[in-house]
Amino acid sequence: MGEKTVSENFRSKVVTQGVQRSPNRAMLRAVGFQDEDFNKAIVGVANAYSTITPCNMGINQLAQRAEAGIKRAGAMPQMFGTITISDGISMGTEGMKYSLVSREVIADSIETVCNGQNMDGVIAIGGCDKNMPGAMIAIARMNIPAIFVYGGTIKPGHYNGKDLTVVSSFEAVGQYSAGKIDSEELLAVERQACPGAGSCGGMYTANTMSSAFEAMGMSLPYSSTMAAEDEEKADSTEESAKVLVEAICNQLLPRQIITRKSIENAISVIMAVGGSTNAVLHFLAIAHAAGVELNLDDFETIRDRVPVLCDLKPSGRYVATDLHKVGGIPQVMKMLLVHGLLHGECITITGKTIAEILADVPDEPPSNQDVIRPWNNPMYSQGHLAILKGNLATEGAVAKITGVKNPSITGPARVFDSEEECLDAILAGKIQVGDVIVIRYEGPKGGPGMREMLAPTSAIIGAGLGDSVGLITDGRFSGGTYGMVVGHVAPEAAVGGAIALVEEGDSITIDANSRLLQINISDVELANRRAKWQPRPPRYTKGILAKYAKLVSSSSVGAVTDLDLFNE
């Protein structure tokens, strides 16, 4: 069967057409173009393959399937690479400061290549946490036909009859330090936690963002929960390429799909599946890139009406592959749609609406499983990502309250100016029941890079203190974090936010029910401390971290690097 030709080379014709472009065509011939290819649409394949993390090590095969699908659909693929950082491997080290920075590098690199080469569209394929928002920020900025393909989730490891993820290993460190397991069991968990290719298996940041992109309409149905190593993932990638070429023909553009209503759909799904706090930061940034109005309070509005339907790790029992087996994200979406919590009229990259895609999905999940709970018996009656405000976070902060018996605590502050100092104190048994840990100068500017705090939060859980110790930070949390934890505290310490003024032993209140984050001292005392506070010198004065610290905005608006660049 012969290949068809798609001649909708709306952008790439400036490179391939005309006598003056003979040198351009000469170079394209060297990479495989034939005479007949110069009239075809050129489609970028943004390939985040690397072997520095299991999340991305299977992506090259998917990129090759995408190439084949683009050619079969009558267009011409051009593959290029983009970077990734392994959050899990860099966790707890200085390297983690580059994680959120990598979101901007990924966005900038995809934008640079697609616009520099005048591509007609792009299929972005990513795995680790920042690949998804980085790609979507670029897609929203450029507004050329695009689709996102998730590299797929890892299958669970197994030990003593329990499913394992990489978070199991982080928690085992805390268990070992608390004397609950021996070194032999710690090593056994380490050896079994990550059995192959794919992104971390629970509803952590990678699976949260892939699920949200499916809900938003920028990825194919069911694709967000497929295992990286299963053949259906490769098949779905080739189908994604075909759908993208159709979108190029029809000039279906990302900003027709990424709208206020579709972002609300994505946030509703994030709440329903118990997703990562990082989704708040990333969707603020995606909305900014797409020119969509979105703020922290919008997350709270959606949380108030959407229940948590799925029993997924980190606070629950199951992993993403279990969710996939019982209907995946379409099943969750259909339940939300039936109960008036999705905008069914939103268009998707397929050209169909959400309601059309979900038409044949059952209204309720299968009765012989408990990964997705029935509507009348949810895990929680409201969403799990609460937006807190108060004198400690006048711009806002994000609390993840799933798995917490009582989402309220008032206790003495235990103050640390870095993640490492805090982790050392936890592992040494210096944190007591009722303490409220404060980790500061880890925000977007202060870190810089807003490190995730999976090591200390997992150590708290491993030590059995998850329900009795609070933790607040101007840094972030891994999608694998749970407990009484509050991140994204803004303004951050580096710019003189109130978190910089907390002293050891101060009384602090975290109250998710009242949406309150407060230091219990007088306004006069707080003002006196602020008058004495002096900013710290930059930790980095050259290179990417210095540039990032100079440009990055508050976490309350997404920690973006292009906010009001020329309005200062």
Side-chain angles (χ1 to χ4, degrees), residues 296 386-389 393 395-399 486-490 517:
L296 277 176
I387 306 302
L388 308 189
K389 292 186 178 180
E395 293 179 11
V398 183
V486 183
H488 309 197
V489 173
L517 183 61

Side-chain angles (χ1 to χ4, degrees), residues 71 76 78 119 173-174 237 248 353 420 482 518 530 536:
K71 286 183 177 179
M76 197 63 185
Q78 284 196 305
M119 290 174 173
V173 173
T237 303
I248 294 171
T353 66
E420 289 87 350
Y482 65 104
Q518 178 173 286
R530 180 167 283 112
R536 296 184 170 192

Side-chain angles (χ1 to χ4, degrees), residues 458-471:
S458 296
I460 289 169
I461 296 295
L465 297 171
D467 287 315
S468 56
V469 167
L471 189 153

Side-chain angles (χ1 to χ4, degrees), residues 288-335:
H288 169 71
V292 173
E293 289 291 328
L294 187 73
N295 61 53
L296 277 176
D297 291 334
D298 295 322
F299 289 85
E300 185 62 34
T301 300
I302 295 171
R303 178 185 90 88
D304 189 55
R305 65 188 185 222
V306 177
V308 179
L309 297 171
C310 299
D311 188 5
L312 298 170
K313 292 178 181 291
S315 60
R317 293 177 292 168
Y318 297 105
V319 295
T321 50
D322 296 319
L323 176 61
H324 188 67
K325 292 171 186 174
V326 299
I329 295 304
Q331 180 63 76
V332 176
M333 291 177 69
K334 184 59 175 285
M335 296 169 71

Side-chain angles (χ1 to χ4, degrees), residues 156-159 162-176 181 185-186 189-190 192-194 204 313-314 319 454 458 462 480 482:
H158 303 284
Y159 178 71
K162 295 182 179 180
D163 284 348
L164 300 180
T165 69
V166 68
V167 176
S168 307
S169 190
F170 279 98
E171 292 178 1
V173 173
Q175 293 169 332
Y176 174 75
I181 63 173
E185 185 168 349
L186 175 65
V189 171
E190 174 190 323
Q192 301 299 321
C194 300
Y204 311 147
K313 292 178 181 291
V319 295
L454 183 57
S458 296
Y482 65 104

